[in-house]
Amino acid sequence: MDTYFLMQVINGLSVGMVYALIAIGFTLIFGVLNVVNFAHGEMYTIGAFAGLVCINLLGWPLAFVILVALVVGGLAGIGLERLAFKPFRRFQDEASLKSRAMREATLLSSLAVSIIIKELIQHFFGAEMQTIPAQYLLNEPIQLGSISLSTGQFLILGSSIVMLGGLQYILYRTRIGLSIRAISNNPLGAKYVGLSVDKTIIATFAVGSMLGGAAGIMVGLYYGAIFPTMGFAPSIKAFVAMVMGGLSSIPGAVICALILGVCEALATDFMTQGWSDMVAYSFLILTLIFFPQGIFGARRERV
Amino acid sequence: MTDSISTTSPWRSRLLTAGLLLFVLAVVPAILSALGKSYYVQLANSALIFCILAASMNLITGTAGLLCLGHAAFYGIGAYTAALLASNYGLPFLVTLPLGGLAAGVAGVLVALPTMRLISIYFAVATLGVGEIIHVSLLNWVSLTRGPMGVQIYEPITIFGYRFSSLLSIYYIIAVLACISIYLLWRMTNSYFGNALRSVREDDQCAEAMGINVVKLKIQAFAASTFFAGLAGAVMAHSAGYISPDSFQFSESILILAMVVVGGLGSLPGGLLGALLLILLPEVARSLGDMRMVAVGVVMFLSILLLPKGLFGEVSAIDMARRQFNAAWIGGRQSVGWK
């Protein structure tokens, strides 16, 4: 096989893994709350900036930096839930859980919170790109036969796989994972058998935002640039992956995120950098037109 | 309340409303400009353009209940069509203005044809995607749109040989255009058409059962709304003289959405008030500096949290207008609600 082609595929897989980490957060939150969290891209930015602060002010080693990004992402997720989602869950009856008004209110409130977070970060850190010190950059080349790869790709692929494994463990082996699955399957039923809906939602936000925050700092370390609006493009692409995967299926979201990443990397062969964004958006439109339920999604009830 | 309507003659209050409008829209800016405060006139220009945008978005997002997250893209199509026609072919304002609106409307229909069958969040996501596609095209199709360099219009607005080059005269053109488009949108939302859209918003399956062609209706509403957004874009291109893709990205769509939400979804006066509020508020609070968008976000968040119906919810806005302007708004009164 052509080595350049193979390199692009590996490159695309590592980018796709980042999309997958963000898309899982979207999918988890959509599964549990049935609303789209538009502030999820900001969790990614917050993770990246938390890592940047650790590097620039504290000079901590790499493993700790990623750990801090994880923790700060999780805390930010909990704060986001308190601020933008909790106030709109005043009513617990079936009609308001399914009502369109409530879903649109949370959609708009998460949009508003995302604007506030983005602009506050811009206010405190400045709108320009922040550079990462050279010793932290993850772009040392590694030669594997005729293919040259970089350490960042290995780190992103490796740690994403570890995190996905951890997520599977949480979801299928722990009590909190059981309640997350129960609530995403049937919120009222789960409530009636005594599960705490509030605690589960907070846990979901924490887990989803942790993955998002970690993705942010890893991309920052790989590309070497962190800026306040960095969350927008990846989160839109993660969102596309989630819609393609069928909105509430985690394996579907991961597979579609990887497909998206590889397609984008291969598309740079045929078009310039700016146009390659078009791939994700066209995938989105085509999916919505031809597979409104998502490629891997089961049929959902019409809501 | 009904007594006060019947006791005053509709003509008198109509005259009153017209006089009030004339004073606010024509006399105040003239005084401001005579006092040399041209900055405020410029501000009024952009406030009026955003009024058109908020009113047009209100038709689909408020009245028809379709959350559109790509409205700025249609604004951009109108602006680019007008600017490119004017700068490449030297077409006059009176030709580029309707062509800008038409281009956006045609793009709206093309977008609407496949996406209108999508429901709730899927439609919002589709419009977001379309908005981004259009923004990426404006940014990267350098041979047509000159990419990030933007397009410049050197010729001032010329109507029948008269050159509108001063700020105040441009303001008057925008004011007249805003009045006409807002009046048309107001008539549209308060007609049979608008009521049908409301029924689609409340329950589309029920509306379909009552014999409304839901998809066709939504496409018509989307076309009308994008037409007016394109009109706003065309007049913006001509009045500013320079446009670049930066003015037509996702954050602008959110700004327009915030205006409609703050004002109250489904209420046109509310949308206009939201537009004025969100354009003028950051200017009043100049000390906030670059926190302008933070203020927009905070205002939007608080209004969703504390005023779920916006400043004027759909019904209360009509009540307010009826009380303030008396029977001048009677045209809208008969066709809203059950009465």
Coordinates of all heavy atoms in Angstrom, one line a residue, chain A residues 234-285:
Chain A
P234 N -14.1 21.2 16.3 CA -14.2 19.8 16.7 C -15.5 19.4 17.3 O -16.0 18.3 17.0 CB -13.1 19.7 17.7 CG -12.2 20.8 17.5 CD -13.0 21.9 17.0
S235 N -16.2 20.3 18.0 CA -17.4 19.9 18.6 C -18.5 19.8 17.5 O -19.4 18.9 17.6 CB -17.8 20.9 19.7 OG -18.2 22.1 19.2
I236 N -18.5 20.6 16.5 CA -19.4 20.5 15.4 C -19.2 19.1 14.7 O -20.1 18.4 14.4 CB -19.3 21.6 14.4 CG1 -19.7 22.9 15.0 CG2 -20.2 21.3 13.2 CD1 -21.2 23.0 15.4
K237 N -17.9 18.8 14.6 CA -17.7 17.5 13.9 C -18.0 16.3 14.8 O -18.5 15.3 14.3 CB -16.2 17.4 13.5 CG -16.0 18.3 12.2 CD -14.6 18.7 12.0 CE -14.6 19.8 10.9 NZ -13.3 20.4 10.8
A238 N -17.8 16.5 16.1 CA -18.2 15.4 17.0 C -19.8 15.3 16.9 O -20.3 14.2 17.0 CB -17.8 15.7 18.4
F239 N -20.4 16.4 16.8 CA -21.9 16.4 16.8 C -22.3 15.7 15.5 O -23.3 14.9 15.5 CB -22.3 17.9 16.8 CG -23.7 18.1 17.0 CD1 -24.4 17.3 17.8 CD2 -24.3 19.2 16.4 CE1 -25.8 17.5 18.0 CE2 -25.7 19.4 16.6 CZ -26.4 18.6 17.4
V240 N -21.6 16.0 14.4 CA -21.9 15.3 13.1 C -21.8 13.8 13.3 O -22.7 13.0 12.9 CB -21.0 15.8 12.0 CG1 -21.2 15.0 10.8 CG2 -21.2 17.2 11.7
A241 N -20.7 13.4 14.0 CA -20.5 12.0 14.3 C -21.6 11.4 15.1 O -22.1 10.3 14.8 CB -19.2 11.8 15.0
M242 N -22.1 12.2 16.1 CA -23.2 11.7 16.9 C -24.5 11.5 16.1 O -25.2 10.5 16.2 CB -23.4 12.7 18.0 CG -24.7 12.5 18.8 SD -24.8 13.7 20.1 CE -26.5 14.2 20.0
V243 N -24.8 12.5 15.2 CA -26.0 12.4 14.4 C -25.9 11.3 13.5 O -26.8 10.5 13.3 CB -26.2 13.8 13.7 CG1 -27.4 13.6 12.7 CG2 -26.5 14.9 14.7
M244 N -24.7 11.1 12.9 CA -24.5 10.0 11.9 C -24.6 8.6 12.7 O -25.2 7.7 12.1 CB -23.1 10.0 11.3 CG -23.0 11.0 10.2 SD -21.3 11.2 9.7 CE -21.0 9.7 8.9
G245 N -24.2 8.6 13.9 CA -24.2 7.4 14.7 C -25.6 7.1 15.2 O -25.8 6.0 15.7
G246 N -26.5 8.0 15.1 CA -27.9 7.7 15.6 C -28.2 8.3 16.9 O -29.0 7.8 17.6
L247 N -27.5 9.4 17.3 CA -27.8 10.2 18.5 C -27.6 9.5 19.8 O -27.1 10.1 20.7 CB -29.3 10.7 18.4 CG -29.5 11.9 17.5 CD1 -31.0 12.3 17.6 CD2 -28.7 13.1 17.9
S248 N -28.0 8.3 20.0 CA -27.8 7.7 21.4 C -27.0 6.4 21.4 O -27.0 5.7 22.4 CB -29.1 7.6 22.1 OG -30.0 6.9 21.3
S249 N -26.3 6.2 20.3 CA -25.5 4.9 20.3 C -24.0 5.3 20.4 O -23.5 5.9 19.5 CB -25.8 4.1 19.1 OG -24.7 3.6 18.5
I250 N -23.4 4.8 21.5 CA -22.0 5.2 21.7 C -21.1 4.5 20.7 O -20.2 5.2 20.0 CB -21.5 4.9 23.1 CG1 -22.2 5.9 24.1 CG2 -20.0 4.9 23.3 CD1 -21.9 5.7 25.5
P251 N -21.2 3.2 20.4 CA -20.4 2.6 19.4 C -20.6 3.2 18.0 O -19.6 3.5 17.3 CB -20.8 1.1 19.3 CG -21.5 0.9 20.6 CD -22.1 2.2 21.0
G252 N -21.8 3.6 17.7 CA -22.1 4.3 16.4 C -21.4 5.6 16.3 O -20.7 5.9 15.3
A253 N -21.4 6.4 17.4 CA -20.7 7.7 17.4 C -19.2 7.5 17.2 O -18.6 8.2 16.5 CB -21.0 8.4 18.7
V254 N -18.6 6.5 17.9 CA -17.2 6.3 17.8 C -16.8 5.9 16.4 O -15.9 6.4 15.8 CB -16.7 5.2 18.8 CG1 -15.3 4.8 18.6 CG2 -16.9 5.7 20.2
I255 N -17.6 4.9 15.8 CA -17.2 4.5 14.4 C -17.4 5.6 13.5 O -16.5 5.9 12.6 CB -18.2 3.3 14.0 CG1 -17.8 2.1 14.9 CG2 -18.0 3.0 12.6 CD1 -18.9 1.0 14.8
C256 N -18.5 6.4 13.6 CA -18.6 7.5 12.7 C -17.6 8.6 12.9 O -17.2 9.2 11.9 CB -20.0 8.1 12.8 SG -21.3 7.0 12.3
A257 N -17.2 8.8 14.1 CA -16.1 9.8 14.3 C -14.8 9.4 13.6 O -14.1 10.2 13.0 CB -15.9 10.0 15.8
L258 N -14.5 8.1 13.7 CA -13.3 7.6 13.0 C -13.4 7.7 11.5 O -12.5 8.1 10.8 CB -13.0 6.1 13.4 CG -12.6 5.9 14.9 CD1 -12.5 4.5 15.2 CD2 -11.4 6.7 15.2
I259 N -14.6 7.4 11.0 CA -14.8 7.5 9.5 C -14.6 9.0 9.1 O -14.0 9.3 8.1 CB -16.3 7.0 9.2 CG1 -16.4 5.5 9.4 CG2 -16.6 7.4 7.7 CD1 -17.8 5.1 9.2
L260 N -15.2 9.9 9.9 CA -15.1 11.3 9.6 C -13.7 11.8 9.6 O -13.2 12.5 8.7 CB -15.9 12.0 10.7 CG -16.5 13.4 10.3 CD1 -17.5 13.2 9.1 CD2 -17.2 13.9 11.5
G261 N -12.9 11.3 10.6 CA -11.5 11.7 10.7 C -10.7 11.3 9.5 O -10.0 12.0 8.9
V262 N -10.9 10.0 9.2 CA -10.1 9.4 8.0 C -10.5 10.1 6.7 O -9.7 10.5 5.9 CB -10.4 7.9 7.9 CG1 -9.7 7.4 6.7 CG2 -9.8 7.2 9.2
C263 N -11.9 10.4 6.6 CA -12.3 11.0 5.3 C -11.7 12.4 5.2 O -11.3 12.8 4.1 CB -13.8 11.1 5.3 SG -14.6 9.6 4.9
E264 N -11.7 13.1 6.3 CA -11.1 14.5 6.3 C -9.6 14.5 6.0 O -9.1 15.3 5.2 CB -11.3 15.2 7.7 CG -12.6 15.8 7.8 CD -12.7 16.8 8.9 OE1 -11.8 16.7 9.8 OE2 -13.6 17.6 8.9
A265 N -8.9 13.5 6.6 CA -7.5 13.4 6.3 C -7.2 13.1 4.8 O -6.3 13.6 4.2 CB -6.8 12.4 7.2
L266 N -8.0 12.2 4.3 CA -7.8 11.8 2.9 C -8.3 12.9 2.0 O -7.8 13.1 0.9 CB -8.6 10.5 2.5 CG -8.1 9.3 3.2 CD1 -8.9 8.1 2.8 CD2 -6.7 9.0 3.0
A267 N -9.3 13.7 2.4 CA -9.8 14.8 1.6 C -8.7 15.9 1.3 O -8.8 16.6 0.3 CB -11.0 15.4 2.2
T268 N -7.8 16.0 2.3 CA -6.7 17.1 2.1 C -5.9 16.8 0.8 O -5.2 17.6 0.4 CB -5.8 17.2 3.3 OG1 -5.4 15.9 3.7 CG2 -6.5 17.9 4.4
D269 N -5.9 15.5 0.3 CA -5.3 15.2 -0.9 C -5.9 16.0 -2.1 O -5.2 16.4 -3.0 CB -5.4 13.7 -1.2 CG -4.3 12.9 -0.6 OD1 -3.5 13.6 0.1 OD2 -4.2 11.7 -0.9
F270 N -7.2 16.1 -2.1 CA -7.9 16.6 -3.2 C -8.2 18.1 -3.1 O -8.4 18.8 -4.1 CB -9.2 15.9 -3.5 CG -9.0 14.4 -3.4 CD1 -9.5 13.6 -2.4 CD2 -8.4 13.8 -4.5 CE1 -9.4 12.3 -2.4 CE2 -8.2 12.4 -4.4 CZ -8.7 11.6 -3.4
M271 N -8.2 18.6 -1.9 CA -8.6 20.0 -1.8 C -7.7 20.7 -0.7 O -7.0 20.0 0.0 CB -10.1 20.1 -1.4 CG -10.6 19.1 -0.4 SD -12.3 19.3 -0.1 CE -13.0 17.7 -0.5
T272 N -7.8 22.0 -0.7 CA -7.0 22.8 0.3 C -7.6 22.6 1.7 O -8.7 22.2 1.9 CB -6.9 24.2 -0.1 OG1 -8.3 24.7 -0.3 CG2 -6.2 24.4 -1.4
Q273 N -6.8 23.1 2.6 CA -7.2 23.0 4.0 C -8.6 23.5 4.3 O -9.4 22.9 5.0 CB -6.1 23.7 4.9 CG -6.3 23.5 6.4 CD -6.0 22.1 6.8 OE1 -5.1 21.5 6.3 NE2 -6.9 21.6 7.7
G274 N -8.8 24.7 3.8 CA -10.1 25.4 4.2 C -11.3 24.6 3.7 O -12.3 24.4 4.4
W275 N -11.2 24.0 2.5 CA -12.4 23.3 2.0 C -12.6 21.9 2.7 O -13.7 21.4 2.6 CB -12.2 23.0 0.5 CG -12.4 24.2 -0.4 CD1 -11.5 24.9 -1.1 CD2 -13.7 24.8 -0.6 NE1 -12.0 25.9 -1.8 CE2 -13.4 25.9 -1.5 CE3 -15.0 24.6 -0.2 CZ2 -14.4 26.8 -2.0 CZ3 -15.9 25.5 -0.7 CH2 -15.7 26.5 -1.5
S276 N -11.6 21.4 3.4 CA -11.8 20.1 3.9 C -12.8 20.1 5.1 O -13.4 19.0 5.4 CB -10.5 19.5 4.4 OG -10.0 20.2 5.6
D277 N -13.1 21.3 5.7 CA -14.2 21.4 6.6 C -15.5 21.0 6.0 O -16.4 20.5 6.7 CB -14.3 22.8 7.2 CG -13.2 23.1 8.2 OD1 -12.6 22.1 8.7 OD2 -13.0 24.3 8.5
M278 N -15.6 21.2 4.7 CA -16.8 20.9 4.0 C -17.2 19.4 4.1 O -18.4 19.1 4.1 CB -16.6 21.3 2.5 CG -17.8 21.7 1.8 SD -18.3 23.3 2.4 CE -18.6 24.0 0.8
V279 N -16.2 18.5 4.2 CA -16.5 17.1 4.3 C -17.5 16.8 5.4 O -18.5 16.2 5.2 CB -15.2 16.3 4.4 CG1 -15.5 14.8 4.6 CG2 -14.3 16.5 3.3
A280 N -17.2 17.3 6.6 CA -18.0 17.0 7.7 C -19.4 17.5 7.6 O -20.4 16.9 7.8 CB -17.4 17.6 9.0
Y281 N -19.5 18.8 7.1 CA -20.8 19.4 6.9 C -21.6 18.7 5.9 O -22.9 18.6 6.0 CB -20.7 20.9 6.7 CG -19.9 21.6 7.7 CD1 -18.9 22.5 7.3 CD2 -20.1 21.4 9.1 CE1 -18.1 23.2 8.3 CE2 -19.3 22.1 10.0 CZ -18.3 22.9 9.6 OH -17.6 23.6 10.6
S282 N -21.0 18.3 4.8 CA -21.8 17.6 3.7 C -22.2 16.3 4.2 O -23.3 15.8 4.0 CB -21.0 17.4 2.5 OG -19.9 18.3 2.4
F283 N -21.3 15.6 5.0 CA -21.8 14.3 5.6 C -23.0 14.5 6.5 O -23.9 13.7 6.4 CB -20.6 13.8 6.5 CG -19.7 12.8 5.8 CD1 -19.4 13.0 4.5 CD2 -19.0 11.8 6.5 CE1 -18.6 12.2 3.8 CE2 -18.1 11.0 5.9 CZ -17.9 11.2 4.5
L284 N -23.0 15.6 7.2 CA -24.1 15.9 8.1 C -25.4 16.0 7.3 O -26.4 15.4 7.6 CB -23.8 17.2 8.9 CG -25.0 17.7 9.7 CD1 -25.2 16.8 10.9 CD2 -24.7 19.1 10.3
I285 N -25.3 16.9 6.3 CA -26.6 17.1 5.5 C -27.0 15.8 4.8 O -28.2 15.5 4.8 CB -26.3 18.2 4.4 CG1 -25.8 19.5 5.1 CG2 -27.5 18.5 3.6 CD1 -26.8 20.2 6.0

